[in-house]
Amino acid sequence: MSRTQGEATVDPRVERSRLVIRRAALEELGAVGYGAFTIESVAARAGVAKSTIYRHWPDKVDLIADAFETFHEQMVPDITPLPPRERIELLTRHVAEVFADSTFSICIPALIEGAERDPRLREFHHRYSATRSQSLIDVISEGVAVGDIPGYIDPELGALALLGPIIYRRLMSGRPFEPELTPALVETVLGPPREHPLSEPLLYKRSRSRGLA
Amino acid sequence: MSRTQGEATVDPRVERSRLVIRRAALEELGAVGYGAFTIESVAARAGVAKSTIYRHWPDKVDLIADAFETFHEQMVPDITPLPPRERIELLTRHVAEVFADSTFSICIPALIEGAERDPRLREFHHRYSATRSQSLIDVISEGVAVGDIPGYIDPELGALALLGPIIYRRLMSGRPFEPELTPALVETVLGPPREHPLSEPLLYKRSRSRGLA
DNA sequence: CCAGTATAGTACGGATCCGTATCGTAGCGA
DNA sequence: TCGCTACGATACGGATCCGTACTATACTGG
């Protein structure tokens, strides 16, 4: 019952309710966190009767998971046919912007906390994180294969080194990772761009590879 | 009142109570998170009367902050006179081990959530994070100056690229960053170690520096 | 031994939230 | 226009936790 069934819900009242409730749920999450999250507060924030929420979602976790899923469906990064290095920078910057965007950034701690407490939220959270990092891993691998990126770089660790700072700055320090730092971060991690990628040999020692889900 | 005054508390009963309560508080934090954290549950977990907790700490936040402070005082990494690169690896591995250690790792999400909600916890959290990353930044700077580390690396971003993956893996994926990955991460971020650090010139383009607190 | 004190245990009123039920209203589709 | 249904509002018993107060007990230091 928590998802819109197939095509579209007939009654516009339902659609409207679900919309404002989902929005209010994310706001509430950002305001008070996961543990203090309350159906009654969401109802008040959405200007909706408590019974209306219970009519559409069985419990707190279902509402939160559904709100996040719906929110994420709206933003898929576009795949662009560019050289690996530029795609890496684009992907990294995109994540940085999402994590700096106030409407989503605010409820990240709550999402992490929720993922720690409930298996459903955990599944969702890990799935989206894995998707993000995997695309980055793929591009780095491609860059290494093409010679655009030094061979000593482990694609998985490289992806972590690009995405990690964004999470670190958001959660461990005062201010988020400014998207403008992206080029400098890419250069620090992947080394300066090569002037003529295919004309220079690879002088680096190769690293062993590792497994990751 | 939440800290032991100066030397030592006279009555051993007090010391014993504070010890078990602090320990129970961290356990409870790891178990239920920050928002669902409850004085009564801590009392039950510690095998202590609720009034005993209120006798020593005015409220929930004070207890949590005190528990974290006391816990952190016990573990300060030792400064070792080694070449920069090895010190970097040591520092990184130390953080990785702390974040993989179950007794502390479990309540990291709660600490982050708490830091998001309360200024006192936020101050503590950011202070310790800044301390950790700053020592790493210093060593990287030294390594760059000595020529042990390529000059295109921005020390601050380099530190983020080393610490970020640890946080990322712990909070965004299923399993924590295994400390054994540290050497590979260092190599991916800083490049392969130079055979004869001082005999080779720096061929890299220099990056501009940035500000960080 | 004894006076002082920290403790365990319990009770309390107040507050909040749960999840459900009921009822009257208003918007919906046909 | 007229059923149908989602809605808002309200009430409810039950549960949990707050922060405080009180008592009796057991440990402490002198």
Side-chain angles (χ1 to χ4, degrees):
Chain A
M1 301 304 179
S2 62
R3 309 306 320 276
T4 303
Q5 71 249 34
E7 304 309 304
T9 310
V10 257
D11 199 327
R13 289 175 292 178
V14 172
E15 215 145 9
R16 199 253 172 196
S17 292
R18 288 185 177 162
L19 184 70
V20 297
I21 291 171
R22 274 193 274 252
R23 186 156 49 81
L26 291 185
E27 286 178 18
E28 182 71 9
L29 262 186
V32 306
Y34 177 80
F37 183 92
T38 272
I39 299 286
E40 292 202 349
S41 296
V42 176
R45 185 182 291 268
V48 145
K50 191 171 54 160
S51 47
T52 301
I53 297 183
Y54 280 109
R55 192 174 298 121
H56 294 298
W57 295 276
D59 56 30
K60 154 179 169 170
V61 177
D62 241 68
L63 170 57
I64 294 175
D66 181 41
F68 272 120
E69 296 254 19
T70 306
F71 179 84
H72 263 266
E73 281 172 6
Q74 303 170 358
M75 29 178 255
V76 275
D78 45 355
I79 303 159
T80 38
L82 290 171
R85 194 166 182 109
E86 298 183 37
R87 253 185 299 164
I88 290 170
E89 196 165 315
L90 231 59
L91 284 173
T92 306
R93 180 184 289 271
H94 177 259
V95 175
E97 280 164 354
V98 169
F99 276 73
D101 169 54
S102 59
T103 62
F104 178 65
S105 173
I106 288 179
C107 41
I108 290 176
L111 174 56
I112 289 174
E113 174 80 37
E116 202 77 10
R117 310 298 158 204
D118 187 278
R120 276 181 292 177
L121 281 174
R122 178 159 49 237
E123 193 278 332
F124 162 81
H125 181 229
H126 290 171
R127 178 159 43 89
Y128 271 87
S129 297
T131 301
R132 272 199 300 267
S133 75
Q134 187 58 51
S135 58
L136 198 51
I137 291 173
D138 293 340
V139 185
I140 294 178
S141 297
E142 186 185 331
V144 170
V146 170
D148 211 357
I149 288 168
Y152 65 81
I153 286 183
D154 181 285
E156 295 170 16
L157 294 175
L160 282 176
L162 290 174
L163 297 181
I166 299 172
I167 276 71
Y168 188 97
R169 282 281 287 265
R170 171 62 183 85
L171 299 178
M172 311 291 286
S173 87
R175 24 175 212 161
F177 185 88
E178 300 93 343
E180 307 82 51
L181 288 178
T182 306
L185 175 64
V186 171
E187 177 169 337
T188 284
V189 173
L190 302 184
R194 316 181 118 217
E195 304 297 341
H196 309 292
L198 293 177
S199 64
E200 304 176 20
L202 296 181
L203 308 167
Y204 305 97
K205 297 191 295 186
R206 213 93 206 136
S207 273
R208 54 258 166 244
S209 63
R210 251 154 304 275
L212 176 77
Chain B
M1 299 304 179
S2 63
R3 309 308 320 275
T4 303
Q5 73 246 35
E7 304 311 304
T9 310
V10 256
D11 200 327
R13 290 175 292 178
V14 172
E15 213 145 9
R16 198 254 172 197
S17 292
R18 287 185 177 163
L19 184 69
V20 296
I21 291 172
R22 274 193 275 251
R23 186 158 48 82
L26 290 185
E27 286 179 16
E28 182 70 10
L29 260 186
V32 306
Y34 176 80
F37 183 92
T38 271
I39 298 287
E40 293 202 347
S41 296
V42 175
R45 185 182 291 269
V48 145
K50 191 168 57 159
S51 46
T52 302
I53 297 183
Y54 280 109
R55 191 175 300 121
H56 293 298
W57 294 275
D59 58 30
K60 155 179 169 170
V61 178
D62 241 68
L63 169 57
I64 294 175
D66 182 41
F68 272 120
E69 296 254 20
T70 305
F71 180 84
H72 263 265
E73 280 172 5
Q74 303 168 359
M75 29 177 256
V76 275
D78 46 355
I79 303 160
T80 39
L82 291 171
R85 190 159 185 115
E86 298 183 37
R87 255 185 297 163
I88 289 171
E89 196 165 314
L90 232 60
L91 284 173
T92 306
R93 179 184 290 270
H94 177 261
V95 174
E97 281 165 354
V98 169
F99 275 74
D101 168 55
S102 60
T103 61
F104 178 65
S105 174
I106 289 179
C107 42
I108 291 175
L111 174 56
I112 289 174
E113 174 79 39
E116 203 77 8
R117 310 299 159 205
D118 187 277
R120 275 181 293 176
L121 280 174
R122 177 159 50 237
E123 193 277 332
F124 162 80
H125 182 230
H126 290 172
R127 178 158 43 87
Y128 270 87
S129 297
T131 301
R132 273 197 301 267
S133 75
Q134 187 58 51
S135 58
L136 198 51
I137 292 173
D138 293 341
V139 184
I140 294 178
S141 297
E142 185 185 331
V144 171
V146 169
D148 211 356
I149 289 168
Y152 65 81
I153 286 182
D154 181 285
E156 294 170 17
L157 294 176
L160 283 176
L162 290 174
L163 298 181
I166 300 172
I167 276 72
Y168 188 95
R169 281 282 286 264
R170 171 62 184 84
L171 299 178
M172 311 292 286
S173 87
R175 40 194 189 143
F177 185 88
E178 300 93 343
E180 307 82 51
L181 288 179
T182 306
L185 175 64
V186 171
E187 177 169 338
T188 285
V189 174
L190 302 184
R194 316 181 118 216
E195 303 298 340
H196 309 291
L198 293 175
S199 65
E200 303 177 21
L202 296 182
L203 309 167
Y204 304 97
K205 297 190 297 185
R206 183 86 212 166
S207 272
R208 53 255 168 249
S209 64
R210 254 155 300 278
L212 175 79

